[in-house]
Amino acid sequence: MSASVGIVTTQYADFEVELQLESGRLLGPLRLAYETYGTLNADRSNAILVCHAWTGDAHAAGRHSEEDRKAGWWDDMIGPGKVLDTERYFVLCSNVIGSCKGSTGPTSINPRTGKAYNLTFPVVMARDMVRAQKLLLDRLDIPSLLTVIGGSMGAMQALEWGIHYPEVVRSIIPIAGTGRTSPMAIALNALARQAVFNDPLWKKGNYKPEHPPADGLALARAVGHISFLSDTSMHLKFGRKFTATDGLFDFFGRFEIERYLAYNGASFVERFDTNAFLYLAKTLDLYDVAWNFDGLDDALSHLSCPSLWFAFTSDWLYPPGQTEEVVTVLRRLGKPVEYHLIDSDYGHDSFLVEPEKFTPKVVAFLNRLG
Amino acid sequence: MSASVGIVTTQYADFEVELQLESGRLLGPLRLAYETYGTLNADRSNAILVCHAWTGDAHAAGRHSEEDRKAGWWDDMIGPGKVLDTERYFVLCSNVIGSCKGSTGPTSINPRTGKAYNLTFPVVMARDMVRAQKLLLDRLDIPSLLTVIGGSMGAMQALEWGIHYPEVVRSIIPIAGTGRTSPMAIALNALARQAVFNDPLWKKGNYKPEHPPADGLALARAVGHISFLSDTSMHLKFGRKFTATDGLFDFFGRFEIERYLAYNGASFVERFDTNAFLYLAKTLDLYDVAWNFDGLDDALSHLSCPSLWFAFTSDWLYPPGQTEEVVTVLRRLGKPVEYHLIDSDYGHDSFLVEPEKFTPKVVAFLNRLG
């Protein structure tokens, strides 16, 4: 059966640049964390870029050591004989700017001040993330990408790649994406933000890394977590089960779903920085493919490569209608586009939980590309 | 056209009882705040009980003074010539126990200690609320109810009335209700709870009334607020509009939906008690019509009166499927049941925002009852 890419190491690329951001601000120097799997072929034509979601990182596949208990976040998808077959493709994944997983973000030291950026870090758009990734592609001397694939915030990056680098990108595969973030998604992020702002330990972003606003971030994560699930998936996993050790009529008694959210929120604090979480929420909120274009038609007219889209029936964060809005315009513009609505109970997270429901179509699409 | 019930006054009834709650705890003495509109007829057969939702109160119609800027919460529905026609019906609405709007709740003084209950208040179920309302009915010498009508938590009470007082209730009209609260709804309430728990001013419920945990409660309210709306209603009202005075790339820049949620949350703090909010959230979470029965069929077999149900297409807090689950069993049991799925964009709040979409069916139903 399909195997693992084995032991992998995160690499780092430093760039002595001043990247001009959509906001007009300059950001630099830049560091990007990345991992690669498989081998670049002789004519450098087999590269695939994987773009991660909100709290993802460069570690998409394999393990960092023999003792590593957990594989990369899309290990189901990437490896020898897998969908993104590392015996055929050279797969690249890089941590986005604004994050805290090795690439330049709010926790990085601002060379001008010698201190962490914290809230002096600029707000970045998905377009800026892609622009930074292009620096890495050039550094690695990769002239073209067979495809750019990603879910959620990864789908936004895939679409930005297709529109802004048509000479580089030969196809895109946006999964559980949106053309522009809806007020509902923004409202949920607003809750997450406020949860952190309310925590006195946040100190306007100037907390010590060893004393993060843990309660606020855990609650913020719980907001996100709920939006990634669905009513049905919660029913399947928790139903109305009450925590065995708590009393049903105790004020502090909890249902299992509540205990799970608290547990998950607390463990998230161990692995993610609060300010980076907030900056990336902002990136998601600001996402609009039509930004700086004359509307959606104008933006999408710049996409020339084939695109393959997936949405999930139970996704209420970026519901199928939002993908369909984009697909409809692409079709009207006569662009080569393929769209599948996948029946899944796992909400927005379906792209991570049930990849087998859409991967056969990814394989066929990649094979047709040649 | 339809007119107002005019100036009304909230009344209070005190009961020297010890009400046995579902939890086994005793609660008493009890005070209930209530309002009435219209006149009880000679044979005392024209009474209608209106049950309010989470943050509602006894003030369902009319104004408290000539200067009162705002009418009662269901003034659209109650008045001369309106759906609940006060020229025909005697309409009664009472504040639930556990609330903070005049009925006994966590802010009330515990006569045994001379201090506010705060977290020593018992957790109450919807069934307990109804049991307390029955005391009021007896006090007012109302032997039967033409109907019990309410939305959301009010729908829960209507159903409990029908099941537990079949000799009193001649029909029920549950709107935007559920037979049991889903894990999704519980998860959202868990966020609201945690928002308050995280606020240092909460002090485990022992805050001074004049120094409530305002930030925590405002955030908790915002969670609820989002769950009452829908993606579509937010699109219609806010779209992706950015607050005019904020910079798009400012870290603290806000979309209009975000500003609105913050504003609404802050004003909510002025009008509602934090502990009462938490206790009622608990009531909602614990709701299960089958509680202490042998399942849903057994519980619903006790309903003998006709029931009229409404659910709303865009309600994702108590989605139509949850009402349909109950209606399906009632039909199978051969109960007289009428159900309408109402097409509305206003989410759970549709019962307050677009009553005209379902009220003609209420009028016809009441007329058929005679």
Side-chain angles (χ1 to χ4, degrees):
Chain A
M1 268 296 286
S2 46
S4 166
V5 296
I7 306 298
V8 295
T9 307
T10 305
Q11 302 172 72
Y12 301 89
D14 289 299
F15 303 90
E16 287 298 328
V17 292
E18 298 256 276
L19 193 69
Q20 171 134 21
L21 303 173
E22 290 296 322
S23 63
R25 285 183 62 182
L26 299 173
L27 179 64
L30 280 184
R31 162 170 284 204
L32 293 184
Y34 67 100
E35 294 191 5
T36 70
Y37 322 103
T39 311
L40 199 58
N41 61 10
D43 62 359
R44 316 185 84 76
S45 65
N46 67 335
I48 288 178
L49 179 65
V50 168
C51 298
H52 69 74
W54 196 349
T55 61
D57 54 32
H59 182 42
R63 289 165 200 269
H64 281 156
S65 67
E66 297 290 353
E67 296 73 38
D68 201 350
R69 282 166 45 228
K70 226 177 145 198
W73 60 269
W74 231 8
D75 195 69
D76 285 346
M77 292 279 288
I78 305 164
K82 295 184 182 176
V83 182
L84 306 183
D85 186 350
T86 48
E87 291 179 339
R88 292 177 65 186
Y89 306 122
F90 175 70
V91 179
L92 167 67
C93 181
S94 85
N95 184 219
V96 296
I97 56 170
S99 179
C100 56
K101 296 295 195 175
S103 293
T104 300
T107 60
S108 303
I109 300 299
N110 179 347
R112 283 158 206 76
T113 64
K115 293 192 290 193
Y117 282 103
N118 294 341
L119 296 203
T120 68
F121 196 78
V123 168
V124 299
M125 293 189 84
R127 202 166 291 178
D128 298 317
M129 293 173 173
V130 164
R131 209 164 270 148
Q133 286 163 353
K134 179 63 166 61
L135 296 173
L136 180 61
L137 238 65
D138 292 344
R139 173 73 53 88
L140 299 177
D141 197 13
I142 299 172
S144 79
L145 293 168
L146 182 62
T147 201
V148 184
I149 184 172
S152 193
M153 192 177 82
M156 297 172 181
Q157 295 166 67
L159 182 53
E160 293 296 306
W161 264 106
I163 287 177
H164 295 278
Y165 296 100
E167 71 286 4
V168 175
V169 176
R170 286 149 61 200
S171 76
I172 60 170
I173 310 179
I175 307 172
T178 179
R180 50 185 179 150
T181 307
S182 71
M184 173 66 89
I186 293 169
L188 291 163
N189 284 347
L191 297 180
R193 258 189 290 283
Q194 198 59 49
V196 172
F197 295 173
N198 281 0
D199 191 326
L201 290 183
W202 184 56
K203 301 173 195 289
K204 290 243 170 183
N206 292 315
Y207 54 87
K208 290 212 166 60
E210 62 274 26
H211 296 296
D215 291 345
L217 182 59
L219 177 54
R221 173 60 173 181
V223 176
H225 203 131
I226 289 176
S227 72
F228 305 151
L229 302 176
S230 75
D231 198 21
T232 308
S233 68
M234 290 192 217
H235 260 300
L236 293 171
K237 190 159 179 179
F238 305 103
R240 286 181 45 85
K241 275 202 295 288
F242 209 73
T243 302
T245 51
D246 293 356
L248 188 63
F249 292 102
D250 286 352
F251 182 83
F252 291 103
R254 290 170 306 171
F255 285 83
E256 272 295 318
I257 175 70
E258 189 163 4
R259 194 196 55 73
Y260 171 76
L261 287 171
Y263 170 82
N264 193 284
S267 71
F268 180 70
V269 174
E270 305 291 313
R271 71 175 178 87
F272 216 85
D273 172 65
T274 306
N275 288 340
F277 185 83
L278 296 173
Y279 270 92
L280 296 177
K282 206 80 192 166
T283 300
L284 294 168
D285 288 353
L286 291 181
Y287 187 66
D288 183 352
V289 63
W291 163 254
N292 259 346
F293 286 103
D294 292 336
L296 190 56
D297 277 49
D298 181 30
L300 296 177
S301 72
H302 290 78
L303 186 73
S304 53
C305 67
S307 57
L308 171 62
W309 301 76
F310 297 103
F312 300 94
T313 49
S314 57
D315 184 350
W316 61 280
L317 184 62
Y318 299 164
Q322 294 182 17
T323 290
E324 287 156 17
E325 184 185 19
V326 175
V327 166
T328 301
V329 173
L330 287 173
R331 284 196 177 128
R332 180 156 42 74
L333 295 172
K335 305 288 184 182
V337 53
E338 184 179 332
Y339 165 63
H340 301 280
L341 176 59
I342 305 295
D343 193 29
S344 172
D345 286 334
Y346 291 92
H348 189 62
D349 263 355
S350 297
F351 78 96
L352 295 169
V353 181
E354 295 194 314
E356 67 278 10
K357 287 208 171 165
F358 61 88
T359 47
K361 295 184 173 69
V362 173
V363 171
F365 180 81
L366 291 177
N367 284 340
R368 276 200 306 279
L369 287 174
Chain B
M1 267 295 286
S2 46
S4 168
V5 297
I7 305 298
V8 296
T9 307
T10 305
Q11 301 172 72
Y12 300 89
D14 290 299
F15 303 90
E16 286 298 327
V17 292
E18 297 256 274
L19 193 70
Q20 171 133 22
L21 304 173
E22 291 296 321
S23 63
R25 286 184 62 181
L26 299 172
L27 180 64
L30 280 184
R31 162 170 284 202
L32 292 184
Y34 68 100
E35 293 191 5
T36 70
Y37 321 103
T39 311
L40 200 58
N41 61 10
D43 62 0
R44 315 184 85 75
S45 65
N46 67 334
I48 288 178
L49 179 65
V50 169
C51 298
H52 70 72
W54 195 351
T55 61
D57 53 32
H59 183 41
R63 290 165 199 271
H64 281 156
S65 68
E66 297 289 354
E67 297 73 37
D68 200 349
R69 281 167 45 230
K70 226 177 144 196
W73 60 269
W74 230 8
D75 195 70
D76 285 344
M77 292 279 288
I78 304 165
K82 294 185 182 176
V83 182
L84 306 183
D85 185 349
T86 48
E87 292 179 338
R88 292 178 64 186
Y89 306 121
F90 175 70
V91 179
L92 168 67
C93 182
S94 85
N95 184 220
V96 296
I97 56 170
S99 180
C100 55
K101 295 294 194 174
S103 293
T104 301
T107 59
S108 303
I109 300 299
N110 180 347
R112 283 157 206 78
T113 64
K115 292 191 291 192
Y117 282 103
N118 294 342
L119 295 203
T120 68
F121 196 78
V123 168
V124 299
M125 293 189 84
R127 201 166 292 178
D128 298 316
M129 294 173 172
V130 164
R131 209 165 270 148
Q133 285 163 353
K134 179 63 167 61
L135 296 173
L136 180 61
L137 238 66
D138 292 344
R139 172 73 54 87
L140 299 177
D141 196 13
I142 299 172
S144 79
L145 293 167
L146 182 63
T147 201
V148 184
I149 184 172
S152 194
M153 192 177 81
M156 297 173 181
Q157 295 166 68
L159 182 53
E160 293 296 306
W161 263 106
I163 288 177
H164 295 278
Y165 297 100
E167 71 286 4
V168 175
V169 177
R170 287 149 61 200
S171 76
I172 61 170
I173 310 179
I175 307 171
T178 179
R180 50 184 180 150
T181 308
S182 71
M184 173 64 90
I186 293 169
L188 291 163
N189 284 348
L191 296 180
R193 258 189 290 283
Q194 198 60 48
V196 173
F197 295 173
N198 281 359
D199 191 326
L201 290 182
W202 185 56
K203 302 174 195 287
K204 290 241 170 186
N206 292 315
Y207 53 87
K208 291 212 165 59
E210 62 274 26
H211 295 296
D215 291 345
L217 182 59
L219 176 54
R221 174 61 173 180
V223 175
H225 203 132
I226 289 176
S227 72
F228 305 151
L229 302 177
S230 75
D231 197 22
T232 308
S233 67
M234 290 191 217
H235 261 299
L236 292 171
K237 190 159 180 181
F238 305 104
R240 287 181 44 87
K241 275 203 293 290
F242 208 75
T243 302
T245 51
D246 294 355
L248 188 64
F249 292 102
D250 286 352
F251 182 82
F252 291 102
R254 291 170 307 170
F255 285 84
E256 272 295 318
I257 175 70
E258 188 162 3
R259 195 196 55 72
Y260 171 76
L261 287 171
Y263 170 82
N264 193 284
S267 71
F268 181 70
V269 174
E270 305 290 313
R271 70 175 178 87
F272 216 85
D273 172 64
T274 306
N275 288 340
F277 185 83
L278 295 173
Y279 270 92
L280 295 177
K282 206 82 192 165
T283 299
L284 294 168
D285 288 352
L286 290 182
Y287 188 65
D288 183 353
V289 62
W291 162 255
N292 258 348
F293 286 103
D294 292 335
L296 190 57
D297 277 49
D298 181 30
L300 296 178
S301 71
H302 291 79
L303 186 73
S304 53
C305 67
S307 57
L308 171 62
W309 301 76
F310 297 102
F312 300 95
T313 49
S314 56
D315 184 350
W316 61 280
L317 184 61
Y318 299 165
Q322 295 182 17
T323 289
E324 287 157 16
E325 185 186 17
V326 174
V327 166
T328 301
V329 173
L330 287 172
R331 284 197 177 127
R332 180 155 42 73
L333 296 172
K335 305 288 183 183
V337 53
E338 185 179 330
Y339 165 63
H340 301 280
L341 176 60
I342 305 295
D343 193 29
S344 172
D345 286 334
Y346 292 91
H348 188 61
D349 262 356
S350 296
F351 78 97
L352 295 169
V353 181
E354 294 195 314
E356 68 278 9
K357 287 208 170 165
F358 61 89
T359 47
K361 294 183 173 70
V362 172
V363 171
F365 179 81
L366 291 176
N367 283 340
R368 277 199 307 279
L369 287 174

